[in-house]
Amino acid sequence: MNLKRFPELFILFTVVLQLFTSCAGYTPDKESLLKRVNELWSARIQKDWSKVFELTDETYQNKESKATFATKGDFKGVLDFNVKEIEIAEDKEPYHHAEVIIRFSILRGGMKFQPEMKELWVFEPSNGWVLNKSAMIKKKPF
């Protein structure tokens, strides 16, 4: 391999990767993250566990099957939610990380609770923003 051409090939590869990412319609901005967060939490309210699963990171999806995930019913009983805060970290391309603070209402034992939690999100070039479930510590409020 001709090492003199390596920088040119690397730049070309980077440009093609950026074009591919932008053509897929995924951008790592706050607006697109808010849209995905709303999709995920709306799916939880509607008990659409397949949609919730699709909005998790690839690492988690490789560890857990969609069928098993559906039986767990991630956050069963959610009534409503409110996105309180979004903070996107200054990461290097193409992956970005974000923290999202959610306040939600949930029924447990006939009582309504309104906990607040922090979710970790990651921008995957092939999927856009997804819940970084594989990185989250299993600290459910209930």
Side-chain angles (χ1 to χ4, degrees):
M1 178 176 173
N2 187 352
L3 293 178
K4 290 180 183 179
R5 299 210 31 122
F6 181 76
E8 294 169 355
L9 292 173
F10 180 76
I11 291 170
L12 178 63
F13 175 76
T14 303
V15 169
V16 169
L17 181 64
Q18 288 292 342
L19 285 173
F20 177 78
T21 303
S22 63
C23 289
Y26 300 123
T27 56
D29 60 23
K30 197 172 191 174
E31 185 177 311
S32 62
L33 173 56
L34 179 59
K35 181 180 176 196
R36 293 307 282 273
V37 171
N38 285 326
E39 280 181 58
L40 180 119
W41 279 87
S42 294
R44 282 177 169 158
I45 291 170
Q46 297 165 4
K47 298 175 179 65
D48 185 352
W49 310 124
S50 179
K51 179 69 173 175
V52 173
F53 183 80
E54 290 170 12
L55 291 170
T56 62
D57 62 290
E58 289 177 4
T59 303
Y60 180 78
Q61 290 179 10
N62 291 333
K63 291 179 190 174
E64 183 85 54
S65 74
K66 189 184 280 191
T68 303
F69 180 81
T71 62
K72 292 180 179 180
D74 187 54
F75 287 85
K76 286 184 179 178
V78 172
L79 303 171
D80 58 29
F81 69 96
N82 180 29
V83 179
K84 288 192 70 176
E85 185 179 331
I86 292 178
E87 186 175 323
I88 298 176
E90 296 294 325
D91 294 323
K92 293 183 179 178
E93 299 277 346
Y95 293 93
H96 295 273
H97 293 83
E99 291 182 353
V100 179
I101 306 294
I102 304 284
R103 183 173 183 90
F104 60 100
S105 299
I106 191 165
L107 278 178
R108 288 290 187 250
M111 296 180 67
K112 183 177 177 179
F113 296 92
Q114 293 183 311
E116 208 171 87
M117 69 176 291
K118 176 171 52 174
E119 290 185 326
L120 305 176
W121 287 72
V122 63
F123 183 83
E124 295 177 343
S126 59
N127 296 323
W129 285 108
V130 291
L131 180 65
N132 195 354
K133 197 150 176 79
S134 61
M136 292 175 64
I137 300 171
K138 295 201 174 208
K139 284 188 177 178
K140 288 190 176 182
F142 302 98

